[in-house]
Amino acid sequence: MEIKHPFYNAKLMLTEEIPLYVFLVKGQDYSVWIDTGIQGMFDALVETMESAEVSDDDLKFILNTHSHHDHIGCNASIKDKTNCFIAAPAHYAHWHSDFEAHYNEFARPFPDLFPDTPELRSEALDPLDAEHKIDVYIDEGSSFDLGGGVKLTAYSFPGHMLAELGWFEESTQTLILADAITGLDWGLIHGHLTVSGYRDTVEKIDHLLDELNVKQVFMAHYDPMTPNEMRELTQKARDYINGIERTVITVAAENETVTLQLLWEEFLKRHNKLTEFRSLSTIDAHIKDLVERKLLKQIDSKNYILI
Ligand SMILES: [Zn+2]
């Protein structure tokens, strides 16, 4: 599917299997970036603006979907160049203005299981250009009228993070999502931090495809999709979440007691996934979800049993 006016994009392959799309939306009155990719994409963002004939003065906002390093990586340098405002959900505001906190909360929420190493630090922080506060807090319902009929309205899609936005563009009936549906087939676990949030988001996307009569869907890590392709992806996401849950329950059933570490290591082995930090937070989210649904019970600071 082609990306046409009022959308322009910069694209980079993060790895052989993971693309990263960043979208520029051009209105008659002003233009916005939806996310800014990683800092290495700065030249590509500038070239995209030039080919779209969007001047520095025309660029009024960066609208961050969420605060991960591959979505806010050029925030400070694009702000410096254009004097635009940075708009993002408030929940992770400190991830924008305090990279040490960003690093610890993102990559080391379980410091015992993930030591502070130069490699981990560089993986988490190298994609980011410089600390810069969020200028404007946005949430579901926030709306930007770019002029000439081009209008963006925000919808909330938690799951991958505790706060994430996607956008609906009215004139083209386009849904623009970032990581609301995570990478499902990658060698690493892309990650989700609330299981119930992710399940609700999957249903909400399906519902919005109908309610808004969506004609096309853009995402950060997938090629543009038709609504039917998107419905196939949401079904795959349901299966994916259920598959992780099934493994956590199976491992818990096979052992008298289980810890986060055991569930995580067994999960990686059984799903043949890379050992890295995102999957640890994901398994922790599933444990919390199962405890809340009274399928698992915490018996001391580290151990859980199946009920
Ligand atoms: Zn993300």
Side-chain angles (χ1 to χ4, degrees):
M1 180 174 292
E2 230 187 311
I3 296 170
K4 290 190 290 208
H5 180 81
F7 300 105
Y8 301 82
N9 76 291
K11 183 187 175 187
L12 176 82
M13 292 306 290
L14 286 175
T15 69
E16 255 173 49
E17 62 176 356
I18 308 179
L20 172 59
Y21 284 94
V22 185
F23 295 97
L24 175 70
V25 190
K26 182 179 177 176
Q28 217 164 66
D29 301 335
Y30 67 92
S31 300
V32 302
W33 274 110
I34 296 182
D35 290 341
T36 59
I38 59 170
Q39 71 161 322
M41 289 174 84
F42 180 72
D43 290 345
L45 300 189
V46 171
E47 279 163 29
T48 303
M49 286 174 65
E50 282 169 4
S51 67
E53 297 182 346
V54 168
S55 71
D56 288 352
D57 275 353
D58 293 335
L59 203 273
K60 297 298 185 204
F61 293 97
I62 293 164
L63 306 178
N64 286 133
T65 56
H66 65 298
S67 303
H68 274 148
H69 58 181
D70 53 336
H71 297 262
I72 67 169
C74 286
N75 273 17
S77 38
I78 289 289
K79 162 116 194 171
D80 258 9
K81 180 174 160 52
T82 65
N83 211 22
C84 68
F85 290 111
I86 298 170
H91 190 92
Y92 294 94
H94 57 295
W95 285 36
H96 295 242
S97 53
D98 178 353
F99 284 176
E100 190 60 26
H102 183 139
Y103 168 62
N104 284 314
E105 288 180 33
F106 177 44
R108 302 190 63 235
F110 305 95
D112 299 352
L113 299 175
F114 258 95
D116 179 13
T117 62
E119 293 73 28
L120 187 63
R121 203 166 262 278
S122 117
E123 184 190 341
L125 297 183
D126 282 359
L128 296 163
D129 57 1
E131 293 173 346
H132 196 289
K133 71 177 171 79
I134 296 173
D135 298 310
V136 185
Y137 294 140
I138 50 177
D139 205 339
E140 180 157 78
S142 295
S143 192
F144 293 80
D145 187 342
L146 282 61
V150 179
K151 190 172 173 189
L152 292 164
T153 302
Y155 288 86
S156 173
F157 297 110
H160 171 60
M161 283 188 106
L162 300 179
E164 174 162 347
L165 297 176
W167 297 92
F168 178 66
E169 197 294 301
E170 258 178 45
S171 69
T172 55
Q173 291 163 274
T174 303
L175 192 58
I176 307 144
L177 306 172
D179 299 3
I181 301 294
T182 55
L184 304 176
D185 292 329
W186 301 350
L188 60 80
I189 288 291
H190 191 184
H192 45 274
L193 301 180
T194 155
V195 177
S196 62
Y198 197 178
R199 288 189 198 277
D200 290 348
T201 279
V202 169
E203 300 315 315
K204 184 170 178 174
I205 289 171
D206 264 6
H207 175 72
L208 287 175
L209 290 176
D210 293 332
E211 187 185 284
L212 300 172
N213 193 18
V214 170
K215 303 286 188 213
Q216 57 183 355
V217 184
F218 295 162
M219 302 185 76
H221 302 295
Y222 289 93
D223 292 336
M225 281 185 202
T226 63
N228 277 339
E229 287 168 336
M230 192 63 203
R231 285 186 187 92
E232 278 171 34
L233 189 67
T234 51
Q235 184 51 46
K236 210 169 145 185
R238 280 184 201 99
D239 297 342
Y240 170 85
I241 302 166
N242 290 338
I244 298 176
E245 178 172 302
R246 204 154 38 236
T247 300
V248 171
I249 291 174
T250 304
V251 175
E254 288 169 4
N255 292 273
E256 226 163 85
T257 65
V258 285
T259 59
L260 168 61
Q261 184 171 5
L262 175 73
L263 289 168
W264 173 56
E265 287 170 354
E266 278 302 313
F267 168 79
L268 293 177
K269 219 183 296 169
R270 295 177 192 204
H271 289 246
N272 195 25
K273 297 291 181 187
L274 288 171
T275 300
E276 57 81 65
F277 60 88
R278 292 169 188 84
S279 51
L280 188 54
S281 310
T282 304
I283 296 304
D284 181 61
H286 277 270
I287 292 173
K288 290 194 172 103
D289 178 62
L290 292 170
V291 167
E292 201 168 298
R293 288 160 53 204
K294 304 202 184 317
L295 293 162
L296 271 188
K297 186 178 170 190
Q298 184 161 11
I299 53 166
D300 58 37
S301 65
K302 287 199 163 158
N303 287 282
Y304 300 84
I305 53 168
L306 203 61
I307 299 177

